[in-house]
Amino acid sequence: MENAWIIPLFPLISFLFLLLFGRRLKENSGYVGMALTFLSLIYSLVVLFDRFNHPTYKAEATWLAIGDVQLTAGFEVNQLNALMLVIVSLVSFLVHTYSKGYMHGDDRFHIFYAYLGLFTFAMLGLVVSPNLLQTYIFWELVGVGSFLLIGFYFYKEEAKAAAKKAFIMTRIGDVGLLIGMILLFWQVGSFEYDAIFLAVEEGAISAGIITLTAILIFIGAVGKSGQFPLHTWLPDAMEGPTPVSALIHAATMVAAGVYLVAALFPLFTASETALMTVAVIGAFTAIFAASIGLVQTDIKRVLAYSTVSQLGYMMLALGSAGYVAGVFHLMTHAFFKALLFLAAGSVIHAVHTQNIEEMGGLWKKLRLTGPLFLIGTLAISGVPLFSGFFSKDEILIAAWTNGNPVLFWLAVIAAFFTAFYMFRLFFMVFTGQSRSEMKNVHESPKVMTVPMIVLGVLAVVAGYFNTPWFGTFLGDWLVEGNEALGHGHTEGPAWIMIVATLVSLLGIFLAWLMYGKKSLQRDWLSSRMPITYNMLYNKYYLDEFYALSVVKTTKGLSVLLSYIEAFVVEGIVKGVAGIVHGLGKTGSKIQSGQVQAYGTVAFVGLAVLVVVYVLAGGYLK
Amino acid sequence: MSFLSILVFSPLLGILVLALLPKTQESLIKLVGFLATLPALVLALVAFGTKDLTKYDVVKEWIHFGSDPSLFSIDYELGLNGFSLILVVLTAVVSTLAAIASIHIKKEWKGYFMLFLLLEIGMLGVFAAQNLVLFFIFFEITMIPMFFLIGKWGYFEKEKAAYSYLIYNGLGSAILLIVIMVLFARTGTANINDLMQLMAVEGANTPSPISESLKMGLAIALLIAFGVKLPIFPLHTWMLRVHVQAPPSVVMIHSGILLKIGAFGLIRFGFGIFPEQFKTLAILLAILGVVNLLYGAFLAFIQTDFKMVLAYSSISHMGIVLIGLGALNEAGIQGAIFQVVSHGLISALLFFLVGVFYERFQTSTIANLGGMAKGMPLASGFLLAGALASLGLPGMSGFVSEFMAFLGLFEAHPVVAAIGCIGIIMTAVYLLRAVLGMTYGKAGREFLGITDIKSVEFVPVLVLLALIVLIGVYPSVLSEPLQATLETIMLGLGG
């Protein structure tokens, strides 16, 4: 554990090495990236097992001195960090492997792997940070990695717009985090997590400041984790290559916001209002995004809205004081959502379209991808025995026991939506008529299917680390030695599990009726409620609203200022120039060549100087 | 001759050699011009490696007025402290790199390089001068070569830009001269350290040589004089013209170093000699800083010429310096100083790249440059890296300075700071708009015969990027030499 700092360094080496020599290595760059992330993975596993038997380890050194204040940099291995290390390095390694097949033939292959290395470095650095400042530093670097990868196909206008949007939307959130962090610093005198928790515990910070800083920091999480109202960048981010969507926009970076709230959990629990904010935003995002997902036709966008929705679930869990539930769902979601994206990538790889209207009947052609996609779909829908079932159940229990029935029922409805749109996706892609133009559909190569199989296994078994049936190992371990985090498992009424199961089965059944058996008309919604349908299809017109309000205002203000610049400021300039010019003119007029006039001026000047000298009494000693 | 004198005047050797060369020998002139910047660079780095800076102090009797030998003498005094040392190093580095960037100069190389080297002497002298009169002389030395460099080697409206430069800076230095003369006449000394002490010990047993209201007047006059240079809104329009009209190698110097004299003067003379007055003015500085930051950012957002984007970006980034100074605490002032260095490096990098693009496409209009990454992937990558540094990406120098300045201001004036944070978002908005507009998207042109960044052009880019990353990753490289200077300033401000 003492050497855990080395884990993020492997991908950093990969990034630098490939930037310098990647061009010569061509597609062999993939092996460099894979080997180095594999080392990270091995080391992360070692650290995780080490952490089972040893207490938290932390090491720091001075990074920057400001007067007497020493800002430090270092690393910390606690339960949450150790778990995150494994999740991140595992998904990253699998995506590195998968990309070897998916990106095959791209002439910027090595750049892709270099960027993957940069992102993985930043993400691993983020999850071992022992203080807020360092978290913020890696937080921003993660954002840049995401930005570069979204804009990987830089020549596409959509990719350019998406990359820019992602960077700016998340930066709006980041500023919230920055302000919250600085305000906390001036209260606590340190960025250290430990120092902050200690100050909160001792009551050294006023309740108002705790609420304010917690909410400001949460704004950062809202930006990164695609929560309402800053979520609009995440669906657009699907312009990036699909493995990137799996790594960054499903499993790791977007979960960073959830991680941040979890890492600062004792701060949040100190303020009812802050927790409530987190829960409400989370629940609203969960149902809001799920409702949009019902009608989208791009396979990746459906998955993107589902990610937004699931992240909302995690926030709801944390906001309902369900620390374990939130972190648990983060883990299971990382596996099944990465699986779904990779499987979607495999489908896109085979049929060269992302429009699900143009797909169908792929079950027979993609004999591996199909079942794996089904596993992911079952897991996310919360079907019993799959991982998502257990973690979603924990969240619902947390929401119920925290005594907020409205949020609980919102989450239940969102679960119904999720099951419905995920199976709508499944049936439309894999069942029904096979398209005639898709004759040459092949299953993806092994290098792509093997990572999917690994994730498929995890999507099933990851739930059993923490079940009410066999034991809540994960939960107990996560909260061990820290009472502020709550209990490892909260007992909830048994009917919650039954309701959750029924709701998801109902969603699946409805999807089957409409898209599988087709006994219900597909245009049932669009024909009956065209306004609702259009609103959902156009994502509640939020992008249009932002374009009209924020973007227009900014442009307008800029134009207004440019008028001020052109007329007011330049006007002053002209005035100054005019004065200088006038003085010059006057001066040249005085130079008339008349010696008497010069003499007069010189005499008057001398007289004035003498008078001033006498009155002022010379200089003071 | 002493170490510092050699350091400051070493470019003179190059001027002498150039004077003897025939003016048609293009490559030889360029080589000599480049080589002449090296001694100063080497010596500056040597000084940077030394612990005890006082051993470099030079004092020679020079001019004397009146009968009292202890008063009214203006000596030739050079010396360094942590802050001025860092700026001397910055000057030497950027000058050498700008000399390399001068390969793109198309005519009258001999005259160009002689003026260029004279400019370097002026800049080195400004930072090394230990008394106000000497400072002023060097300050003026920078102005004359700059005027000709803009007016002769610039673009279409170069004359207008040069005159605009001269008028504004002339007014600024006239005000500065008045301040210096009043101080000299009232106290009998122009030595900066003496002045600092004299102002600090007032009240106790010696009556202050200058009344409180006059001090305030002088402090405000200093703020205006250096405010023109920085520049502070609304004194900035001259600097836009210079940025757009001067050749990129000259703008590297101008934006990289000359603007920093404004910040240097405010910190060294403003905070050094008039600490009490600047304490009163602090809130004004903070507000001016936020105005600069936002005004520059919003205007940069709608510019069509990349050079204009960078010009407004400079105004915006100089706002960070004011924000840091307005905070009046260690974090803020250290942030301001970091910003001076960081922006010097970043703007030098970005303007060098402007030169690289201009050399190939004869335009810097964003709309004419779409999709560059297709034809010039390396140059585009460096441009993006420069933009990320400029918008304050952690791991690069811009973040450290911005972070410290805001950290400081949030302690002093949280509301002003919170408004300023809009600038952090806007910086990302306008830089990405401009840089992605140039490099991403569909290429609107063919890249036949266009070479990517090559051979000697790599040197400035890689050196500047390395320094930017070094400061970003290991900021102690600057903060340690600054320690003593910062303590002195904080002592003057009363802890």
mmCIF file of all heavy atoms in Angstrom, chain B residues 52-71:
data_model
loop_
_atom_site.group_PDB
_atom_site.id
_atom_site.type_symbol
_atom_site.label_atom_id
_atom_site.label_comp_id
_atom_site.label_asym_id
_atom_site.label_seq_id
_atom_site.Cartn_x
_atom_site.Cartn_y
_atom_site.Cartn_z
ATOM 1 N N ASP B 52 22.618 33.302 -2.310
ATOM 2 C CA ASP B 52 22.805 34.648 -1.769
ATOM 3 C C ASP B 52 22.864 35.661 -2.905
ATOM 4 O O ASP B 52 23.855 35.740 -3.625
ATOM 5 C CB ASP B 52 24.096 34.691 -0.948
ATOM 6 C CG ASP B 52 24.343 36.086 -0.433
ATOM 7 O OD1 ASP B 52 23.364 36.821 -0.219
ATOM 8 O OD2 ASP B 52 25.525 36.443 -0.268
ATOM 9 N N LEU B 53 21.794 36.429 -3.046
ATOM 10 C CA LEU B 53 21.721 37.347 -4.179
ATOM 11 C C LEU B 53 22.430 38.665 -3.894
ATOM 12 O O LEU B 53 22.768 39.406 -4.812
ATOM 13 C CB LEU B 53 20.255 37.624 -4.535
ATOM 14 C CG LEU B 53 19.518 36.443 -5.150
ATOM 15 C CD1 LEU B 53 18.041 36.748 -5.267
ATOM 16 C CD2 LEU B 53 20.090 36.108 -6.515
ATOM 17 N N THR B 54 22.670 38.970 -2.616
ATOM 18 C CA THR B 54 23.237 40.287 -2.299
ATOM 19 C C THR B 54 24.643 40.449 -2.859
ATOM 20 O O THR B 54 25.106 41.562 -3.070
ATOM 21 C CB THR B 54 23.279 40.498 -0.777
ATOM 22 O OG1 THR B 54 23.912 39.351 -0.195
ATOM 23 C CG2 THR B 54 21.897 40.659 -0.209
ATOM 24 N N LYS B 55 25.304 39.333 -3.119
ATOM 25 C CA LYS B 55 26.673 39.453 -3.611
ATOM 26 C C LYS B 55 26.730 40.051 -5.019
ATOM 27 O O LYS B 55 27.797 40.446 -5.481
ATOM 28 C CB LYS B 55 27.370 38.094 -3.583
ATOM 29 C CG LYS B 55 26.865 37.110 -4.606
ATOM 30 C CD LYS B 55 27.699 35.829 -4.568
ATOM 31 C CE LYS B 55 27.201 34.855 -5.616
ATOM 32 N NZ LYS B 55 27.688 33.514 -5.436
ATOM 33 N N TYR B 56 25.598 40.101 -5.684
ATOM 34 C CA TYR B 56 25.588 40.689 -7.028
ATOM 35 C C TYR B 56 25.392 42.209 -7.006
ATOM 36 O O TYR B 56 25.443 42.841 -8.045
ATOM 37 C CB TYR B 56 24.472 40.061 -7.874
ATOM 38 C CG TYR B 56 24.685 38.600 -8.159
ATOM 39 C CD1 TYR B 56 23.664 37.678 -7.993
ATOM 40 C CD2 TYR B 56 25.933 38.150 -8.598
ATOM 41 C CE1 TYR B 56 23.867 36.334 -8.255
ATOM 42 C CE2 TYR B 56 26.138 36.812 -8.864
ATOM 43 C CZ TYR B 56 25.107 35.902 -8.681
ATOM 44 O OH TYR B 56 25.307 34.585 -8.952
ATOM 45 N N ASP B 57 25.112 42.761 -5.838
ATOM 46 C CA ASP B 57 24.827 44.193 -5.784
ATOM 47 C C ASP B 57 25.989 45.020 -6.330
ATOM 48 O O ASP B 57 27.152 44.757 -6.026
ATOM 49 C CB ASP B 57 24.536 44.618 -4.342
ATOM 50 C CG ASP B 57 23.181 44.100 -3.905
ATOM 51 O OD1 ASP B 57 22.467 43.548 -4.758
ATOM 52 O OD2 ASP B 57 22.861 44.228 -2.707
ATOM 53 N N VAL B 58 25.637 46.000 -7.115
ATOM 54 C CA VAL B 58 26.640 46.902 -7.682
ATOM 55 C C VAL B 58 26.280 48.314 -7.267
ATOM 56 O O VAL B 58 25.133 48.720 -7.420
ATOM 57 C CB VAL B 58 26.619 46.865 -9.223
ATOM 58 C CG1 VAL B 58 27.771 47.669 -9.777
ATOM 59 C CG2 VAL B 58 26.625 45.455 -9.719
ATOM 60 N N VAL B 59 27.224 49.075 -6.733
ATOM 61 C CA VAL B 59 26.992 50.494 -6.472
ATOM 62 C C VAL B 59 28.176 51.286 -6.989
ATOM 63 O O VAL B 59 29.322 51.014 -6.624
ATOM 64 C CB VAL B 59 26.813 50.779 -4.966
ATOM 65 C CG1 VAL B 59 26.487 52.249 -4.764
ATOM 66 C CG2 VAL B 59 25.725 49.907 -4.385
ATOM 67 N N LYS B 60 27.919 52.222 -7.859
ATOM 68 C CA LYS B 60 28.978 53.117 -8.341
ATOM 69 C C LYS B 60 28.441 54.523 -8.274
ATOM 70 O O LYS B 60 27.309 54.782 -8.653
ATOM 71 C CB LYS B 60 29.346 52.765 -9.786
ATOM 72 C CG LYS B 60 30.072 51.448 -9.929
ATOM 73 C CD LYS B 60 31.218 51.577 -10.941
ATOM 74 C CE LYS B 60 32.091 50.332 -10.940
ATOM 75 N NZ LYS B 60 31.365 49.159 -11.491
ATOM 76 N N GLU B 61 29.267 55.440 -7.795
ATOM 77 C CA GLU B 61 28.826 56.827 -7.755
ATOM 78 C C GLU B 61 28.629 57.333 -9.162
ATOM 79 O O GLU B 61 29.382 57.003 -10.078
ATOM 80 C CB GLU B 61 29.854 57.674 -7.020
ATOM 81 C CG GLU B 61 29.599 57.694 -5.541
ATOM 82 C CD GLU B 61 30.447 58.737 -4.848
ATOM 83 O OE1 GLU B 61 30.693 59.791 -5.461
ATOM 84 O OE2 GLU B 61 30.860 58.463 -3.720
ATOM 85 N N TRP B 62 27.603 58.157 -9.310
ATOM 86 C CA TRP B 62 27.310 58.547 -10.682
ATOM 87 C C TRP B 62 27.040 60.042 -10.757
ATOM 88 O O TRP B 62 27.908 60.825 -11.107
ATOM 89 C CB TRP B 62 26.110 57.724 -11.168
ATOM 90 C CG TRP B 62 25.866 57.832 -12.620
ATOM 91 C CD1 TRP B 62 26.775 58.107 -13.586
ATOM 92 C CD2 TRP B 62 24.622 57.670 -13.278
ATOM 93 N NE1 TRP B 62 26.195 58.123 -14.804
ATOM 94 C CE2 TRP B 62 24.858 57.845 -14.654
ATOM 95 C CE3 TRP B 62 23.316 57.375 -12.843
ATOM 96 C CZ2 TRP B 62 23.848 57.751 -15.612
ATOM 97 C CZ3 TRP B 62 22.329 57.274 -13.798
ATOM 98 C CH2 TRP B 62 22.584 57.458 -15.173
ATOM 99 N N ILE B 63 25.862 60.456 -10.338
ATOM 100 C CA ILE B 63 25.528 61.877 -10.432
ATOM 101 C C ILE B 63 25.270 62.381 -9.024
ATOM 102 O O ILE B 63 24.705 61.657 -8.191
ATOM 103 C CB ILE B 63 24.250 62.096 -11.269
ATOM 104 C CG1 ILE B 63 24.387 61.394 -12.618
ATOM 105 C CG2 ILE B 63 23.983 63.576 -11.470
ATOM 106 C CD1 ILE B 63 23.106 61.359 -13.397
ATOM 107 N N HIS B 64 25.683 63.619 -8.743
ATOM 108 C CA HIS B 64 25.449 64.150 -7.411
ATOM 109 C C HIS B 64 24.986 65.596 -7.488
ATOM 110 O O HIS B 64 25.478 66.380 -8.290
ATOM 111 C CB HIS B 64 26.743 64.061 -6.584
ATOM 112 C CG HIS B 64 26.511 64.413 -5.164
ATOM 113 N ND1 HIS B 64 25.890 63.542 -4.294
ATOM 114 C CD2 HIS B 64 26.779 65.540 -4.475
ATOM 115 C CE1 HIS B 64 25.792 64.137 -3.120
ATOM 116 N NE2 HIS B 64 26.319 65.345 -3.207
ATOM 117 N N PHE B 65 23.989 65.933 -6.694
ATOM 118 C CA PHE B 65 23.496 67.315 -6.637
ATOM 119 C C PHE B 65 23.733 67.868 -5.245
ATOM 120 O O PHE B 65 23.646 67.139 -4.268
ATOM 121 C CB PHE B 65 21.990 67.374 -6.902
ATOM 122 C CG PHE B 65 21.575 66.786 -8.210
ATOM 123 C CD1 PHE B 65 21.098 65.482 -8.278
ATOM 124 C CD2 PHE B 65 21.657 67.532 -9.384
ATOM 125 C CE1 PHE B 65 20.701 64.938 -9.476
ATOM 126 C CE2 PHE B 65 21.258 66.981 -10.584
ATOM 127 C CZ PHE B 65 20.786 65.684 -10.638
ATOM 128 N N GLY B 66 23.990 69.163 -5.154
ATOM 129 C CA GLY B 66 24.044 69.828 -3.856
ATOM 130 C C GLY B 66 25.302 69.512 -3.068
ATOM 131 O O GLY B 66 26.219 68.839 -3.543
ATOM 132 N N SER B 67 25.339 70.009 -1.824
ATOM 133 C CA SER B 67 26.574 69.938 -1.050
ATOM 134 C C SER B 67 26.592 68.790 -0.065
ATOM 135 O O SER B 67 27.625 68.242 0.262
ATOM 136 C CB SER B 67 26.754 71.257 -0.284
ATOM 137 O OG SER B 67 25.556 71.510 0.432
ATOM 138 N N ASP B 68 25.392 68.374 0.396
ATOM 139 C CA ASP B 68 25.342 67.285 1.368
ATOM 140 C C ASP B 68 25.663 65.967 0.669
ATOM 141 O O ASP B 68 24.926 65.531 -0.202
ATOM 142 C CB ASP B 68 23.936 67.231 1.984
ATOM 143 C CG ASP B 68 23.901 66.294 3.181
ATOM 144 O OD1 ASP B 68 24.783 65.399 3.250
ATOM 145 O OD2 ASP B 68 23.013 66.436 4.013
ATOM 146 N N PRO B 69 26.779 65.315 1.033
ATOM 147 C CA PRO B 69 27.184 64.108 0.307
ATOM 148 C C PRO B 69 26.220 62.939 0.520
ATOM 149 O O PRO B 69 26.175 62.021 -0.296
ATOM 150 C CB PRO B 69 28.562 63.786 0.878
ATOM 151 C CG PRO B 69 28.586 64.439 2.212
ATOM 152 C CD PRO B 69 27.718 65.660 2.124
ATOM 153 N N SER B 70 25.428 62.969 1.600
ATOM 154 C CA SER B 70 24.553 61.827 1.837
ATOM 155 C C SER B 70 23.225 61.965 1.105
ATOM 156 O O SER B 70 22.412 61.053 1.090
ATOM 157 C CB SER B 70 24.293 61.676 3.341
ATOM 158 O OG SER B 70 23.566 62.783 3.802
ATOM 159 N N LEU B 71 22.979 63.117 0.552
ATOM 160 C CA LEU B 71 21.692 63.338 -0.090
ATOM 161 C C LEU B 71 21.850 63.676 -1.557
ATOM 162 O O LEU B 71 22.902 64.158 -1.988
ATOM 163 C CB LEU B 71 20.954 64.493 0.605
ATOM 164 C CG LEU B 71 20.310 64.159 1.954
ATOM 165 C CD1 LEU B 71 19.757 65.422 2.570
ATOM 166 C CD2 LEU B 71 19.218 63.133 1.803
#
